[in-house]
Amino acid sequence: MHSQSPSAGIVTPQIAHFEAPLTLKSGAVLDTYELVYETYGTLNADKTNAILVCHALSGNHHVAGFHSEQDKRPGWWDNMIGPGKPVDTDRFFVIGLNNLGGCHGSTGPSSPDPKTGKPYGKAFPIVTVEDWVETQARLADRLGIESFAAIMGGSLGGMQVLSWTILHPQRVKHGLVIASAPKLTAQNIAFNDVARQAILTDPDFHAGDFYAHDAVPKRGLRLARMLGHITYLSDDVMGEKFGRILKNDVFQFGYGVEFEVESYLRYQGDKFAASFDANTYLLMTKALDYFDPTHHHRVSLSEAMKPAQADFLVLSFTSDWRFAPGRSREIVKALLDNNLNVSYAEITAAHGHDAFLMPDPHYHSLVRAYMCNVVRSLGL
Amino acid sequence: MHSQSPSAGIVTPQIAHFEAPLTLKSGAVLDTYELVYETYGTLNADKTNAILVCHALSGNHHVAGFHSEQDKRPGWWDNMIGPGKPVDTDRFFVIGLNNLGGCHGSTGPSSPDPKTGKPYGKAFPIVTVEDWVETQARLADRLGIESFAAIMGGSLGGMQVLSWTILHPQRVKHGLVIASAPKLTAQNIAFNDVARQAILTDPDFHAGDFYAHDAVPKRGLRLARMLGHITYLSDDVMGEKFGRILKNDVFQFGYGVEFEVESYLRYQGDKFAASFDANTYLLMTKALDYFDPTHHHRVSLSEAMKPAQADFLVLSFTSDWRFAPGRSREIVKALLDNNLNVSYAEITAAHGHDAFLMPDPHYHSLVRAYMCNVVRSLGL
């Protein structure tokens, strides 16, 4: 078994079925939907020790622990969450869920549309960060959790944390916003659009209804993932990891793999294309693009954050060029403008945007220290 | 006519046909080939005032002037080259050519293979920077030019300048290496490979023989160009130019254009896909990847540059993240290690890699000053 490091152990995903219609920001309505989630640790009698983990672009509900004794890979944030870990499941009750529109068990484009019995495909509506917060709040209601000790997330997950503190200020005691941004830049949107166009123009996409054609737009998904990977890593770490190392001793003068970095990227692309739903990928990138608490500069970010009452930990990583430290500073300034209690650190790390998933000791000790503070402040 | 700024006027491309077989670095042999080129200004009696302009990824021989009275767009470096311009065609005889493998008139994958009478397609060999230098040297021989007053180029063009000074040190008096790099990083190669994979996996590519199928891999080329464009521009300039400006007043919640930046990129992609040859694009990116004067660290860059005898002007642009100033500094250090006469400047510019094509006054006055020095040093 996995005795080398303490883990949340064997966990079993659960399904919450919702019958109350959900009106999305786009105006579309979902009459029913399901959310898949996992929990780690024990909810205390007062239900005051719950932590919600919001996932990023390709994440899911399987945050920590293993699905079986044979399972070799733990959840995606297992280095952060578990017994004795920075987010200690001996003290906290941690919830991971797959967001609405996902492809890991929650209702999404690949789920059967109750109207037709066939996958939604292009009929599945676009969802936003605010829509996710609404569904997450309904899940909290279902579990009897009035307010969260903390809500935490990296990247797109951090945007959900910000949105929670605006939409449900009383329900969030602490917000952990990691490697995130208050909204995308033109360059961020541009990268997303190239990824989307790769999928949308793949002949196997069939306008989103590829399920009915027994096809998968693997070419497009593969390109989207390859491109994404470049933006998750820093130039430096790619240099250290791959440099100009050749696959063979000499150049082949063809279009096969010449450099190790090509081999790595193509492998990552293939793996992702074989397992992720193309419509979910599209939808997640749109949620990123649309997120903008300032509503097109109608208000400043400081005004947008006015409802927030939580304490915050904001973290950024020096080599992250996707959501650079400057983007986190914008968040910190807006929170300070509202006289909120903010801790902030720019962590020296080589791994670019991906650093938020890495077991960096400085990073983890900051989160650990903050969570001790959460324990104290809430009297847990 | 185009009286608003002095231009090289109406120019007519010329064709040079070569019968001597050319053995490429890959080992492949081209028995015959043609190069299309243009010239501006007048070659002096001693043939000492010639300047060769080497183009980048998607460039061509049409560097300056117009092709007809009706022609609305001048050559791609018309702001730099012409009568009274920084590279003054009243003093210099400037040559622009389309590199071998190109798609603007020189022999390339879309040209008829003499063996079959049909386009080469995938039968066209991969060419390298060194191969280009060899063909350019043969063109110089044809024109009776023993040595160039200067050879200049930006980006991939700058790599050709470096290669010239190594392979034919006596034939280059001055090298102008602009917004370039001594070799690609892993990240550079990674971006190139995503672009290539977009083309190679486009069903209309037909393994490079799309001509025979009356098809054009437009989807792939379009994605390659969209991605390229992001890397040519700085994050800042994209922010200034597009920010989060919407195409419509409100979100459409669909996969059409929401943001202006998407509209711009898709337009650039479509335009390019309608005019550029996919095989040429692949080949140009490979030439970039392969260029490495250090031959996989077998020698240092300083040792690699040992043969060079030219004086150099090296220029970089602060916001260029494709070939950042640090890459130019590597070149400068290697040249200084060889006690060469080097002028270097890092120009404060917002436009990213594309800055080398912009009429920035500081940039242009530096080139102008350097070219005055070339005139003096060669007694022109």
Side-chain angles (χ1 to χ4, degrees), chain A residues 25-27 126 128 183-198 200-203 205 219 222-223 226-227 230-231 233-235 238-239 242-244 246 249-259 261-263 265-266 279 282-286 288-292 296-298 321, chain B residues 25-27 126 128 183-198 200-203 205 219 222-223 226-227 230-231 233-235 238-239 242-244 246 249-259 261-263 265-266 279 282-286 288-292 296-298 321:
Chain A
K25 210 174 160 190
S26 68
I126 283 184
T128 63
K183 58 186 167 183
L184 295 197
T185 62
Q187 190 191 65
N188 293 147
I189 295 169
F191 276 122
N192 277 348
D193 201 47
V194 176
R196 280 192 296 265
Q197 291 297 311
L200 292 165
T201 64
D202 184 330
F205 183 64
R219 283 173 290 237
R222 177 175 179 265
L223 291 169
M226 289 176 74
L227 176 54
I230 302 175
T231 68
L233 298 176
S234 71
D235 188 15
M238 284 187 102
F242 305 110
R244 294 178 53 88
L246 295 178
D249 287 344
V250 291
F251 286 145
Q252 307 296 301
F253 294 105
Y255 295 112
V257 166
E258 288 279 19
F259 295 95
V261 67
E262 297 172 311
S263 175
L265 276 188
R266 294 183 200 179
N279 282 311
L282 291 173
L283 175 156
M284 295 279 169
T285 64
K286 288 305 271 188
L288 271 165
D289 285 10
Y290 287 137
F291 184 66
D292 178 5
H296 316 304
H297 300 290
R298 247 169 255 149
W321 60 279
Chain B
K25 208 173 161 189
S26 67
I126 283 184
T128 63
K183 57 185 169 184
L184 296 197
T185 62
Q187 191 192 63
N188 293 146
I189 294 169
F191 276 122
N192 277 348
D193 201 48
V194 176
R196 279 192 296 265
Q197 290 298 312
L200 292 165
T201 64
D202 183 332
F205 183 64
R219 284 173 289 236
R222 175 175 180 267
L223 291 170
M226 289 176 74
L227 175 54
I230 302 176
T231 69
L233 299 175
S234 70
D235 188 17
M238 285 188 102
F242 306 108
R244 294 179 54 90
L246 295 179
D249 287 344
V250 291
F251 285 144
Q252 307 296 300
F253 294 104
Y255 294 111
V257 167
E258 289 280 18
F259 296 94
V261 67
E262 296 172 309
S263 176
L265 275 189
R266 294 185 199 180
N279 282 312
L282 291 174
L283 174 156
M284 296 278 171
T285 64
K286 288 305 271 189
L288 271 165
D289 285 10
Y290 286 136
F291 184 65
D292 178 5
H296 316 304
H297 300 291
R298 247 169 256 146
W321 61 279

Side-chain angles (χ1 to χ4, degrees), chain A residues 117-129:
Chain A
K118 288 174 184 159
Y120 277 100
K122 71 172 174 220
F124 196 86
I126 283 184
V127 295
T128 63
V129 167

